Amino acid sequence: MSDADLARLRAMPTRHYQAAPGEVIVEPGPKASQSCMMLRGISARLHRLKGRSGQQVITALHVPGDFVDLHGFVLNGLSHAVIAIGPVEVEFVDHSELVEITRNYPHLTRLLWRATLIDAEIHRQWLVAAASLRSNAHLAHLLCEIYTRLNVVGAATDLHFSMPLLQRELADLLGYSPIHVNRAVRDLRDRGLVRWVGAEITILDWDGLVRLARFDPDYLDLGREPT
């Protein structure tokens, strides 16, 4: 980015907010006046199924650096909520700021566009994983992805990270029953691939986890390997 691009970003006013576990950060509904960027923690894109009380589907996880609802800047509304998974810190940016950037800073506009394209690519890869992998490999793919995304922004190192999802939430995300998720977690442990205690996950065999998941990080467009 040019000095002018960096200066514009640093000058952008934002509103800082801390969300408690389970709190709704972004409401579904008509067009909003601001967008939200993750600073710390993990959030989830949550769809509540109409006519099915209590049923919901998680269709994305967001990590620090993600604009969780940037597409809401150009759409007429959002069909989903964004909720905090564990403690979360975010910054809200008024859409008037994004309008000014898109009018006067073409390179920043391309970067914002790129962020939405990567978000869409992750969604497509989730569909591929769900259609082609068994439950243990599907879960392994998710772990590889989340660690890689956290690692690249400095939020996870040494093959250790926190993912405070309950097994029923993992079931909502992966499309399995909680029993299937429990078996998948146990299988990864029994293979010696991970240590999983509560929300804390340590990858014991990165290469083995990658092989099981058939994980290729190219779809994340990160440009470097995790460390």
Side-chain angles (χ1 to χ4, degrees), residues 26-178:
V26 177
E27 295 278 1
K31 187 173 178 66
S33 61
Q34 55 189 356
S35 286
C36 173
M37 175 179 277
M38 292 286 297
L39 294 183
R40 184 175 67 85
I42 295 177
S43 63
R45 186 181 298 161
L46 185 72
H47 294 255
R48 294 186 172 90
L49 304 183
K50 291 183 179 180
R52 300 185 185 181
S53 178
Q55 286 192 290
Q56 58 193 29
V57 177
I58 294 174
T59 59
L61 293 178
H62 295 292
V63 303
D66 287 357
F67 258 117
V68 302
D69 60 341
L70 187 57
H71 46 293
F73 169 51
V74 293
L75 297 177
N76 288 324
L78 296 176
S79 61
H80 61 270
V82 178
I83 65 168
I85 302 296
V88 161
E89 291 185 31
V90 299
E91 298 238 332
F92 288 96
V93 180
D94 283 346
H95 284 173
S96 60
E97 292 291 319
L98 299 180
V99 168
E100 197 274 336
I101 284 174
T102 57
R103 284 175 176 167
N104 300 302
Y105 294 84
H107 182 59
L108 290 181
T109 301
R110 286 192 293 272
L111 292 179
L112 293 175
W113 184 18
R114 177 176 178 270
T116 62
L117 293 176
I118 292 174
D119 183 66
E121 186 63 29
I122 290 171
H123 181 67
R124 287 190 290 270
Q125 189 62 42
W126 279 27
L127 292 175
V128 171
S132 62
L133 299 176
R134 298 180 64 179
S135 57
N136 59 348
H138 192 183
L139 177 58
H141 194 281
L142 176 69
L143 299 184
C144 289
E145 178 191 296
I146 296 302
Y147 177 75
T148 301
R149 291 168 63 191
L150 289 170
N151 175 255
V152 82
V153 295
T157 56
D158 300 323
L159 298 178
H160 178 84
F161 65 106
S162 296
M163 192 171 70
L165 283 166
L166 300 174
Q167 289 202 0
R168 62 175 175 79
E169 293 170 326
L170 275 173
D172 290 338
L173 190 157
L174 296 172
Y176 303 123
S177 69

